[in-house]
């Protein structure tokens, strides 16, 4: 039986329990299956060979559509096809120190529509299911195992705003950290958001050891709203107060992400505003080089000397600051360069087919937008 025909999804405990009862399986067999795939990232054929009812289990929720490996650094871009027929991306980053990080997507597209991000220009925003989020981890883990590497960190910094898919992202983190599933430490997982205060607090309360990051990009309200339209929903004062409250829950640094844009947010005055906004918050500032995208030709990357000068001002004020280096530029895997054109074409094809009355098209309604956004 194919994976598509299998009716019991590995990440659905009720479905797996139904299978166990129907086939009268020893519970230990279910545990072995999960341990092999989710903790050890063993190949599919190995875990299926040990499981007597493998014909009835759907191990994967995604189909690997394409793999692209950088020729200049240790990045790999994985394009996955969802049941809706649209594509998402995950990126494996192999750091020179030997550690590996996986950047996962939480949505197809993104409703945040940040001016600097190709994903936000897609015109689609659809939540990924929990199993679609987790299968990115499984398939990337299997790739790394084949290289005798281990997955060090998981960051929700791919396509989508994770806190616009709060329920599924929360469930995914619960399973990533559950002893009977992935058994990962919450400290190896990071969730990045453009700023959804109530959801940020709920996540901090649910996972006190989870790493959280705010994509700030400007400490000037008007500038931030220009590059992050969703910035209108939460003021800088509200975001500061939210982080302050989170730090009464979590005994850890909060990460501030700051994309360096020439002439937009990279002046000495911008640095002073950022220092003043942070105040006494315990944070780590990441300064991120910008990767230009075709859809926003008016935005340019800050020159490297400008970034270094900006960093020096922050460090002189006592702020822990890191200037990041971009990986995967040659395969468009770097931040802000996630897939856009392919999904727009597929969405248009789906609309045309629907208009022509083709009931056999395997696409969901790509015009569906996410609900539950904070008003």
């Amino acid at each position: 039986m194919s994976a598509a025909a299998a009716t019991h999804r590995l990440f659905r405990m009720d479905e797996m329990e139904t299978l166990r009862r129907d086939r009268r399986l020893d519970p230990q067999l279910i545990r072995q299956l999960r341990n092999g795939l989710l903790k050890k990232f063993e190949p599919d054929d190995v875990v299926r060979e040990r499981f007597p009812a493998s014909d009835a289990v759907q191990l994967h929720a995604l189909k690997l559509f394409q793999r692209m490996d950088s020729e200049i650094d240790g990045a790999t871009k994985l394009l996955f096809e969802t049941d809706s027929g649209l594509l998402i991306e995950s990126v494996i980053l192999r750091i020179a120190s030997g550690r590996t990080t996986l950047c996962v997507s939480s949505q197809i597209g993104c409703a945040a529509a940040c001016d600097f991000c190709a994903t936000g220009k897609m015109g689609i925003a659809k939540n990924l299911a929990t199993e679609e989020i987790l299968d990115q981890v499984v398939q990337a883990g299997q790739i790394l195992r084949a290289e005798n590497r281990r997955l060090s960190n998981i960051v929700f910094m791919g396509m989508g705003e994770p806190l616009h898919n709060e329920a599924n992202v929360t469930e995914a983190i619960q399973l990533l950290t559950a002893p009977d599933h992935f058994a990962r430490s919450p400290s190896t997982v990071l969730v990045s958001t453009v700023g959804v205060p109530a959801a940020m607090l709920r996540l901090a309360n649910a996972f006190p050891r989870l790493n959280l990051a705010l994509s700030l990009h400007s400490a000037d309200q008007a500038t931030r709203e220009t590059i992050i339209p969703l910035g209108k929903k939460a003021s800088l004062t509200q975001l500061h107060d939210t982080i302050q409250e989170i730090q009464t829950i979590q005994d850890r640094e909060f990460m501030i992400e700051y994309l360096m844009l020439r002439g937009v947010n990279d002046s000495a005055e911008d640095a002073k505003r950022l220092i003043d906004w942070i105040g006494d918050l315990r944070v780590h500032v990441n300064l991120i080089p910008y990767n230009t995208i075709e859809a926003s030709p008016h935005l340019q990357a800050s020159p490297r000397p400008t970034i270094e000068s900006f960093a020096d001002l922050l460090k002189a004020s006592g702020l822990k600051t890191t200037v990041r280096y971009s990986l995967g530029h040659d395969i468009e895997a770097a931040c802000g360069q996630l897939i856009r054109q392919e999904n727009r074409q597929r969405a248009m094809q789906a609309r045309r087919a629907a208009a022509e009355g083709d009931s056999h098209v395997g696409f969901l309604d790509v015009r569906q937008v996410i609900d539950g956004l904070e008003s």
Side-chain angles (χ1 to χ4, degrees), residues 345-357:
Q345 292 174 352
R346 290 180 176 222
M348 291 173 62
Q349 291 169 2
R351 291 191 182 102
R352 284 197 297 268
E356 294 168 1

Side-chain angles (χ1 to χ4, degrees), residues 7-23:
T7 56
H8 301 82
R9 292 170 292 179
L10 183 63
F11 296 111
R12 293 297 165 188
M13 294 185 186
D14 56 339
E15 295 180 13
M16 293 302 293
E17 177 58 21
T18 297
L19 174 62
R20 188 195 67 77
R21 290 198 308 266
D22 290 348
R23 299 289 184 96

Side-chain angles (χ1 to χ4, degrees), residues 110 112 114 116-117 156-158 160-163 190-196 200 212-220 223-225 227-231 234-236 239 243 254-260 265 274 277 284-286 288 335-336:
C110 184
C114 298
F116 51 80
C117 181
F156 285 79
M157 298 178 71
E161 163 54 55
L163 298 186
L190 179 142
V191 176
S192 176
T193 175
V194 297
V196 187
M200 292 165 67
L212 292 172
L214 173 67
S215 292
L216 184 68
H217 309 318
S218 178
D220 175 74
T223 301
R224 189 169 194 270
E225 290 180 12
I227 57 179
I228 306 176
L230 204 68
S235 70
L236 285 167
L239 291 172
I243 296 173
F254 197 99
M255 189 172 294
I256 300 296
E257 296 162 358
Y258 197 99
L259 191 66
M260 298 297 295
N265 65 355
L274 177 58
W277 179 82
H284 187 148
V285 180
N286 281 322
I288 305 169
C335 300

Side-chain angles (χ1 to χ4, degrees), residues 35-266:
N35 287 343
L37 193 64
L38 309 185
K39 296 178 182 178
K40 301 178 182 178
F41 298 124
E42 293 177 336
D44 290 0
D45 55 352
V46 172
V47 296
R48 285 190 179 280
E49 185 178 356
R50 291 197 303 258
F51 191 68
S54 62
D55 62 315
V57 177
Q58 178 183 315
L59 295 183
H60 298 291
L62 300 170
K63 177 183 177 182
L64 182 59
F65 178 78
Q66 186 178 8
R67 171 178 172 170
M68 303 171 68
D69 295 297
S70 172
E71 295 183 359
I72 59 176
D73 54 47
T76 294
K77 180 166 70 173
L78 304 174
L79 273 63
F80 292 108
E81 185 173 2
T82 68
D83 284 344
S84 66
L86 297 176
L87 301 181
I88 62 168
E89 291 185 351
S90 306
V91 179
I92 300 172
L93 302 173
R94 300 172 183 83
I95 313 302
S97 65
R99 298 178 66 82
T100 58
T101 295
L102 174 66
C103 183
V104 300
S105 294
S106 56
Q107 293 181 305
I108 303 170
C110 184
C114 298
D115 195 24
F116 51 80
C117 181
T119 304
K121 308 286 187 181
M122 196 178 296
I124 303 169
K126 182 181 182 302
N127 288 338
L128 292 181
T130 300
E131 52 262 36
E132 291 173 323
I133 296 171
L134 293 174
D135 197 31
Q136 297 171 68
V137 179
V138 173
Q139 295 200 45
Q142 290 176 316
I143 289 171
L144 291 170
R145 176 190 168 92
E147 302 171 1
N148 291 318
R149 290 175 177 264
R150 60 180 297 273
L151 178 57
S152 306
N153 299 295
I154 299 167
V155 296
F156 285 79
M157 298 178 71
M159 293 171 61
E161 163 54 55
L163 298 186
H164 287 166
N165 188 11
E166 183 184 354
N168 292 340
V169 167
T170 299
E171 184 180 26
I173 297 170
Q174 287 171 339
L175 294 178
L176 284 171
T177 57
D180 59 347
H181 280 72
F182 290 84
R184 298 190 63 88
S185 168
S187 63
T188 67
V189 181
L190 179 142
V191 176
S192 176
T193 175
V194 297
V196 187
M200 292 165 67
L201 285 168
R202 285 191 291 268
L203 208 56
N205 275 296
F207 307 101
R209 295 175 58 211
L210 179 74
N211 295 299
L212 292 172
L214 173 67
S215 292
L216 184 68
H217 309 318
S218 178
D220 175 74
Q221 185 68 30
T223 301
R224 189 169 194 270
E225 290 180 12
T226 299
I227 57 179
I228 306 176
L230 204 68
K232 298 181 180 71
K233 292 183 177 292
S235 70
L236 285 167
T237 299
Q238 186 179 6
L239 291 172
H240 182 281
D241 291 347
T242 299
I243 296 173
Q244 196 165 48
E245 186 172 351
I246 286 173
Q247 296 200 309
T248 67
I249 302 166
Q250 296 186 321
D251 183 23
R252 59 198 314 105
E253 290 177 340
F254 197 99
M255 189 172 294
I256 300 296
E257 296 162 358
Y258 197 99
L259 191 66
M260 298 297 295
L261 301 169
R262 176 185 290 180
V264 176
N265 65 355
D266 62 353

